[in-house]
Amino acid sequence: MSSQRLNLREKLLLAALACCNGETGKSFTGEDLLVEAWKQDPRAWGLRGYELEHPDLEKLRKEIDSRGKSTGSQSLVNNGFLAKQEGRIYRLTTKGLAAAARLRQPGNVIDLTVQTKVGRQLQSSIKPILDSPVFTSWIKNSEQPKLFRDAGYFWGIGPGSPALTVRKRVTEIDDVLQAASQFLKDHGVEAIADARGKVLFDRNDLERCRQFQQALKSRFAKELATLDPKGLGSI
Amino acid sequence: MTIERVGKIFFDDLGTLIASTRWISTHDEGIAEWLKNTRRAYQMDRANVTESDRICILLLKDSDVTNPARIGLLDVGGATLEDIETWSKWNDPNASSRGSRMMEEETQGNGGKAYMYSLFTGPSRILGVVDGNRNCQGFDGPSKSLDRGTPGFMPSVVEGREVHNVDCESELKRNLLFFGLDFTDLPSDFRKALHRRQRFTLVEGENPVNLFRGNIDAQSLIQKVLRHDQTTLAIQQMKIYAIHNGVTLNNGKPLELETIRPYPGLEGPFVFPIPEDLVDDDGVNQSTTQGGTKPRGRLILSTSEYNMPAKHKLLRPRWKLSYRAGSQMLGSKVISEIAPATPGAEFLYGQVELETLAAYAHHGRMRPKEGPLVQAVDRFVTEQIRQLAKQINDRRRHEQDSDELDDIHRENKILDKFKNKFMPTEGFGGNGNRGSNGAGPEVETDSTTPSRGTIPHVIELGWSPDETLKIGSGVALHLSTILKATVRDEMGRPVLGVELEWVTNNEQIARIDSGFLKARHRGSCGVFARITGTTVRSVTVPVEVWIVDHVLLTPRSLQVALGKKETITAEVTNDQGARDTNVYLEWVHDADDQLIIRMSPSGIVFGNRVGRTSVTAGASGNGEEPLWARVRVDVEVTPNPEAPKRGSGFPKLLLTDRDLDPLTGRVRPGSPDQATLWQDVFDQQNNIWWLNLQSDDAAFAFGKKPADPEFWRMFHAQQLIEMVVQVHMQQEFTSKGEDEKPDRWVNHKQAWERNQIGLKQAMWEELRPYVETGTGLK
């Protein structure tokens, strides 16, 4: 597969995909990621003048963590494609996995396996939304939930949650739903099924989840703004 | 990372020895290992025994006043000094192959030795005579000790290692004395083989553990050995005799597995080639031929005339799927593990033959290691078992004449009413549909009005007239179950046994058929109940029929404890974009055993049996095409540590294939795999007994009915008495509450007989004229 036309961030996403073998639960170090990216494209990730001999860690840092500081564009972590676990240990998020899968050329066996994994990963991210009792109570009566406590239970946040956590939990759901919608769009299908034909989720699921998330966000906008004034409160 | 090692790897000798030997825990496992070793020793790269001489004898002797019990295996392989010295090494996987490249069944390198070390308290040894040379090594010493696990020549190096000029037959005769045998007691073909080869091997042990008073239950032991997976090839390739206390078993003939008679009409065996690519549980393709480098495998399924798990001693141990990779037996799994809750699978067993599975051999070879390829193969096997099981199940169902069914349905109602006067006088506060703790639909009775009325005055519905009954197009609902109608007299007392007629005011929208409301076309109408010939009628309930455009089910996975219920919410979107979660739909699930769960039309799931299934709901969409929820709900019924509570509804005898199941509002189909008087968990909670017309005896009696109605009535009456006795027994024992405790069988038996005698006499007095004439019961 050629990655000549991709930009650095896209190349890095593909390297992250290779590092975790399409599993979002599998973490990897920054060094793993750099070496993988360098193996895939030594000219892009090599140390200047020694491109074929040594990878350049500085280039990686710029794309992963610090790009936003100088250019205004967001890094892979800030964009929600990679999650930083601790130190320089990362994992690919569902959004990152879906984006990386889109970059691959369809048709070969590896890509089909990746697509299957993406479908399953998206389903496992969407399923908790559909399984949530808060969601069930909302589809039974759209005026529910009336208390922020219930919405907070759904998002996994509370009055004492740090602003970053609040932002992360809420936007993660938006990201997953967007990634799943994009996935359906890319494949031109109404539903995603596994290799045995079992339907994992369909467009209607996503639409209802999106409406639910939107309803919660607008109903509890004040509370979210209080908890995260610079992030969710500024939207 | 750098490391400087200063010595060799160390193991604790005794700990390692015990860890290496504890996987053999029974004599049948140990003897199976011996047989496997003998079979391997006979191969051409080892002793090269001709096919006609491939014979061995299992020697068993109980203890007596002078000698301890003893178990041995005698063959004509002839262990050499090299064999004996190789044998003495623990954990040597090359022990049986000796570096040969022949593709052969692998042994553990420990199996036979582990048996001799662990399951005998006296000396155990291997003795070989070849070309006049005698070698003997063995174990002796206290159980589980290092001493015992350290082999040595027996009785000494001088007398046990390469002793020359030994006469083969004389040496054997001398050793047979310990088994109370003479050379002439051995089967003649073994004697001839020995005479030709002039060599033998005897492995034996004294004082086998776990014997009752030193006696070997030879029949049982041999059956277990023969059924053991590791014995499969040995039985196929050798003649195996068994001698117990001087008597050659099986009438002097070689041992063989008893033949399983196949299921009539499906004799088989059925051979299915295993596809080159299969999908595992994660949906990933697995090559069954390692990319074409290994041959394709096959699945062989055989049928049994009898329900295998039900034949506990003979067939249950063989109700399994064995795995074989070339000449390696990898172990087996019980069929219920491969195809759980599959009616008809009780009549199937089989074998997978696939070389690629060799990598999944597990220590002890009780079952193959878990892994993606095994998962994928199991999925394939499950599918084949399900298809074959369905054929068997279809054959087992008895066709029944509809008119005759109607006839006995009427009779059953009469008998059910008749039995009420023989019910216990206390303890039943319910109404025959739902006990106080039950899960069925509630048909309420007013506990403040103890007596019953006779003249209907009003029909009350358990449904608010302000509430619209929404139903998907094409769905049929049993109205009495949904709307919960009760007839009362002027005093508000319930009037029982009144037939209600349900009426719709627009048959284009919804039609009534035999008490079922069938939704036809989009629109609104009303339904009400009335009593024919009177002006008594209920209020009208508004009905809306929806053309379904989409169904969303939530949650997507559900765990229900056995005997409990949970709800699946179905959000229906109709063809005009309206949404609602209170629309009645058709609910189905895809388990072969349809009794795993029971479902109500409103999405209540009742856990009836432990198992898994996947549920969907739907109705007719535009153009009357069925439209089901695209994404199904995975339901798992889990064991419930709390025993399901028994309900206190008034006991009822219902008839399968005619009466409605109070939870589902649908006719309960009979099942050939259930008892004649059948109660599932839900039925126990609701005090319902089903006369199962698909059980073999009921079907037989039913078949006789047209020509001999008396015969059927006799059978029917007996079942009724049996049910009444069970009710009394239940009442007697459960009324003890917390004092109820396990009791001796004889006490139960006495209570049973006491109830039976008392009730049968009283009931039979009135039943007899009914059985003789078909009339006479009030």
Side-chain angles (χ1 to χ4, degrees), chain A residues 113 116 120 127 129-132 135-136 138-141 190-191 195-196 198-205 207-208 211, chain B residues 279-284 379 550-557 567 569-571 573 579-582 614 630-632 634:
Chain A
T113 309
T116 308
R120 279 213 314 272
K127 192 167 167 284
I129 304 174
L130 293 161
D131 280 350
S132 161
F135 177 75
T136 304
W138 177 76
I139 61 167
K140 282 181 176 170
N141 176 1
E190 281 296 302
R196 296 183 295 277
K198 183 186 170 191
V199 178
L200 302 174
F201 61 88
D202 67 4
R203 194 177 294 283
N204 190 68
D205 286 342
E207 185 55 22
R208 292 301 274 157
Q211 289 168 358
Chain B
V279 176
D280 69 13
D281 285 353
D282 292 330
V284 178
R379 294 179 65 87
H550 194 275
V551 182
L552 182 151
L553 301 179
T554 174
R556 288 292 154 85
S557 54
T567 303
T569 301
E571 186 197 51
T573 309
R579 288 197 172 105
D580 202 304
T581 53
N582 293 313
S614 132
R630 196 184 267 155
V631 191
R632 303 172 72 104
D634 293 324

Side-chain angles (χ1 to χ4, degrees), chain B residues 314-353:
Chain B
L314 290 177
L315 295 181
R316 189 180 183 121
R318 295 173 68 184
W319 187 49
K320 61 188 179 183
L321 181 78
S322 306
Y323 297 78
R324 178 174 170 175
S327 46
Q328 314 288 332
M329 294 306 297
L330 308 177
S332 57
K333 293 182 186 174
V334 182
I335 294 288
S336 58
E337 187 184 336
I338 306 275
T342 307
E346 303 89 351
F347 297 81
L348 294 172
Y349 61 104
Q351 180 166 302
V352 167
E353 295 176 358

Side-chain angles (χ1 to χ4, degrees), chain A residues 13-14 16-17 24 79-82 92-103 118 179:
Chain A
L13 263 183
L14 283 182
L17 182 66
T24 53
N79 242 335
F81 291 114
L82 288 184
L92 201 58
T93 61
T94 305
K95 181 183 176 182
L97 177 64
R102 269 211 311 283
L103 298 172
V118 174

